[in-house]
């Protein structure tokens, strides 16, 4: 051994911390991921000016992050808005809206057909802060007119509704809200900017639970609100203070998902229409809810304000919860999952999952009977999906025949 050659050296802790930090990522084709909580400043003055808003720049990722900002800019552009604010989840976005815009003594008017957790949040928490919550039927314009008044600060609706796909007249409701000095927020999760542009119809803010169709692959939780620069500035104050911020990693995933959003939405909408038409011919199906069907009560309205009908449908089975559960359990290709908007098809029973916190009376009022099944159509081959659904129907029918014969034999034996 050459005794003049060092065979060991001290670990360079400083190198582990600093070498490679100046690498240039400006020529990368895919957007870099800024996984950082904090940022460096050129000087103490630079930090002071950025913290106090005298010049733009990042100060802490609870406030802003380059990857999150890129996602916000992209979704704002797609929705035709000036700006956007991204949140940790769709419910975080709803909470941010309420915290930023509502004050004690004011009221929020909301359609009773919004996501079940939204109703629970409004009913169980907003009242504690002195905000009155008024629920109205989504399609009843007279009810919107009666309930929106001078103390209404925020009007909130989801169209199409989840899970029975009622359609709101967004333009007319925006006129009613604005005449009373209220702001209108529309949840566009179901259709995305591919199929609907609520800002063009008069909405002041558009909300997305971005982990649904925006992501499209069931990987991320995030929410986003688009609107004017002034309104989004108010939301940023909530983000900065309360910390319900979007993860940079999730924002990075969503950025890439937006690149395939249109082709995914077109595909699931095409398959959903085919399945809706097929489902209405099935003996065990009492009703199908999909705005692309001509018999849908608001089909004409949907065609006027939408460019497509989305990938979600629901149907009511005869036999109530027992039949619905049996059919769901018989599926082999379609996943039993409460999310929507994935590449894979998913099914759930709303009355006992997404809307289980509502009372029976509230579910009936919202059009969610015990026999209702919700299907989020994915990207599988249409024939494979239809085969899986048909197999499940056959199993339910077989079970009914077997049960009827058992009753008959018992009767004969007695």
């Amino acid at each position: 051994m050459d005794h003049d050659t060092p065979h060991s050296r001290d670990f360079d802790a400083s190198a582990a911390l600093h070498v490679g930090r100046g690498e240039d990522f400006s020529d990368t084709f895919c957007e870099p991921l800024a996984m950082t909580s904090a940022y460096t400043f050129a000087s103490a003055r630079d930090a002071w000016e950025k913290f106090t808003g005298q010049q733009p720049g990042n100060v802490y990722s609870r406030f802003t992050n380059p990857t999150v900002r890129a996602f916000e800019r992209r979704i704002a552009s797609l929705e035709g808005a000036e700006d956007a604010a991204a949140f940790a989840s769709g419910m975080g976005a709803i909470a941010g809206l309420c915290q930023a815009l509502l004050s004690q003594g004011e009221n929020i008017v909301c359609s009773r057909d919004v996501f079940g957790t939204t109703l629970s949040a409004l009913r169980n928490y907003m009242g504690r802060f002195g905000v009155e919550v008024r629920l109205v039927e989504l399609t009843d314009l007279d009810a919107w007119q009666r309930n929106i008044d001078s103390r209404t600060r925020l009007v909130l609706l989801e169209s199409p509704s989840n899970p029975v796909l009622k359609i709101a007249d967004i333009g007319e409701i925006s006129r009613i809200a604005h005449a009373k000095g209220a702001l209108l927020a529309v949840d566009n999760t179901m259709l995305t900017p591919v199929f609907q542009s609520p800002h063009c119809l008069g909405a002041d803010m558009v909300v997305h639970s971005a982990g649904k169709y925006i992501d499209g692959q069931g990987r991320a939780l995030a929410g986003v609100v688009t609107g004017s620069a002034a309104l989004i500035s108010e939301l940023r104050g909530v983000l900065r203070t309360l910390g319900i911020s979007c993860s940079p990693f999730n924002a990075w995933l969503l950025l890439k998902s937006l690149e395939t959003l249109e082709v995914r939405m077109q595909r699931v909408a095409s398959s959903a229409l085919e399945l809706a038409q097929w489902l209405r011919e099935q003996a065990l199906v009492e009703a199908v809810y999909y705005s692309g069907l001509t018999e849908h009560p608001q089909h004409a309205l949907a065609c006027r304000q939408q460019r497509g009908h989305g990938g979600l449908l629901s149907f009511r089975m005869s036999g109530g919860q027992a039949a619905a559960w049996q059919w769901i359990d018989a599926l082999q290709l379609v996943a039993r999952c409460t999310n929507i908007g994935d590449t894979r098809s998913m099914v759930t029973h709303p009355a006992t999952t997404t809307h289980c916190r509502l009372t029976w009376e509230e579910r009936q009022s919202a059009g969610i009977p015990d026999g209702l099944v919700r299907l989020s159509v994915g990207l599988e081959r249409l024939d494979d999906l239809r085969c899986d659904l048909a197999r499940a129907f056959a199993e339910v029918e077989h079970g009914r025949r077997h049960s009827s014969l058992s009753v008959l034999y018992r009767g004969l034996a007695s």
Side-chain angles (χ1 to χ4, degrees):
M1 177 181 294
D2 185 353
H3 294 287
D4 293 330
T5 302
H7 58 273
S8 67
R9 57 175 299 207
D10 292 336
F11 179 77
D12 190 340
S14 295
L17 294 169
H18 295 282
V19 172
R21 291 186 68 248
E23 200 66 35
D24 181 9
F25 292 92
S26 62
D27 61 351
T28 56
F29 181 67
C30 181
E31 297 87 347
L33 169 58
M35 283 297 294
T36 183
S37 59
Y39 303 87
T40 59
F41 304 99
S43 65
R45 173 173 287 276
D46 180 48
W48 171 66
E49 290 178 346
K50 287 177 179 175
F51 261 88
T52 54
Q54 297 177 63
Q55 65 168 303
N58 299 302
V59 297
Y60 192 60
S61 276
R62 175 160 51 87
F63 306 170
T64 56
N65 174 278
T67 307
V68 175
R69 188 69 191 124
F71 168 64
E72 291 171 340
R73 290 179 57 203
R74 188 170 294 179
I75 192 67
S77 176
L78 293 174
E79 284 289 7
E82 290 181 346
D83 204 355
F87 294 80
S89 68
M91 286 309 304
I94 295 295
L97 271 179
C98 293
Q99 291 283 351
L101 300 178
L102 296 171
S103 300
Q104 185 177 15
E106 295 177 333
N107 67 65
I108 175 173
V109 180
C110 178
S111 66
R112 66 179 72 255
D113 305 280
V114 295
F115 179 46
T117 304
T118 301
L119 289 180
S120 297
L122 295 179
R123 182 175 56 207
N124 296 331
Y125 297 104
M126 293 314 299
R128 297 182 185 180
F129 301 101
V131 175
E132 180 187 2
V133 179
R134 300 177 180 177
L135 302 180
V136 300
E137 166 58 39
L138 179 67
T139 61
D140 188 346
L141 293 177
D142 289 338
W144 290 104
Q145 184 72 58
R146 290 193 306 271
N147 282 276
I148 299 172
D149 60 26
S150 60
R151 293 192 301 111
T152 305
R153 172 63 170 158
L154 181 63
V155 174
L156 176 63
L157 63 87
E158 177 181 359
S159 182
S161 67
N162 178 1
V164 293
L165 289 93
K166 296 178 184 178
I167 307 296
D169 189 332
I170 298 174
E172 188 57 36
I173 295 172
S174 73
R175 285 188 285 273
I176 296 171
H178 293 158
K180 303 290 181 68
L183 297 168
L184 173 63
V186 174
D187 189 326
N188 200 28
T189 297
M190 297 271 283
L191 293 182
T192 80
V194 173
F195 288 145
Q196 184 167 257
S197 301
H199 285 303
C200 295
L201 299 169
D204 300 286
M205 290 156 291
V206 172
V207 184
H208 286 279
S209 178
K212 309 297 193 297
Y213 288 103
I214 296 295
D215 175 34
Q217 296 171 74
R219 305 167 298 179
L221 285 179
V224 65
V225 180
T226 66
S228 69
L231 285 172
I232 297 305
S233 179
E234 293 189 58
L235 293 184
R236 289 203 188 285
V238 172
L239 278 174
R240 181 170 184 147
T241 306
L242 300 185
I244 43 180
S245 312
C246 180
S247 154
F249 182 71
N250 287 353
W252 182 77
L253 292 174
L254 297 170
L255 267 172
K256 304 310 295 178
S257 293
L258 285 174
E259 296 176 1
T260 62
L261 179 61
E262 183 180 21
V263 292
R264 288 187 285 106
M265 291 301 294
Q266 295 288 356
R267 172 68 177 272
V268 298
S270 174
S271 294
L273 178 58
E274 292 277 351
L275 288 176
Q277 293 169 336
W278 177 81
L279 280 166
R280 64 184 178 185
E281 305 300 325
Q282 306 310 302
L284 296 179
V285 174
E286 297 177 338
V288 180
Y289 306 95
Y290 186 69
S291 63
L293 296 177
T294 56
E295 64 265 29
H296 187 284
Q298 291 96 41
H299 176 72
L301 172 61
C303 291
R304 287 199 306 272
Q305 70 181 23
Q306 300 171 194
R307 294 178 293 276
H309 303 280
L312 194 77
L313 61 88
S314 297
F315 62 93
R316 188 177 74 245
M317 287 189 66
S318 61
Q321 178 179 314
W325 277 18
Q326 185 182 2
W327 185 84
I328 290 171
D329 290 347
L331 294 168
Q332 297 178 17
L333 180 64
V334 178
R336 288 169 284 277
C337 186
T338 56
N339 199 18
I340 65 173
D342 203 291
T343 52
R344 294 165 292 181
S345 295
M346 299 175 290
V347 67
T348 193
H349 182 247
T352 55
T353 57
T354 57
H355 291 72
C356 66
R357 293 183 182 87
L358 303 185
T359 66
W360 184 88
E361 290 77 14
E362 287 172 329
R363 289 198 299 272
Q364 301 312 300
S365 178
I368 304 174
D370 291 342
L372 188 74
V373 173
R374 187 188 75 183
L375 178 64
S376 175
V377 180
L379 302 180
E380 298 92 347
R381 291 177 55 202
L382 181 59
D383 287 346
D384 292 338
L385 286 173
R386 195 156 35 211
C387 180
D388 195 36
L389 271 55
R391 185 191 306 112
F393 281 125
E395 187 166 322
V396 175
E397 289 177 335
H398 175 76
R400 286 190 178 185
R401 286 195 298 270
H402 180 75
S403 177
S404 298
L405 286 173
S406 297
V407 171
L408 176 61
Y409 290 151
R410 286 197 298 271
L412 292 174
S414 61

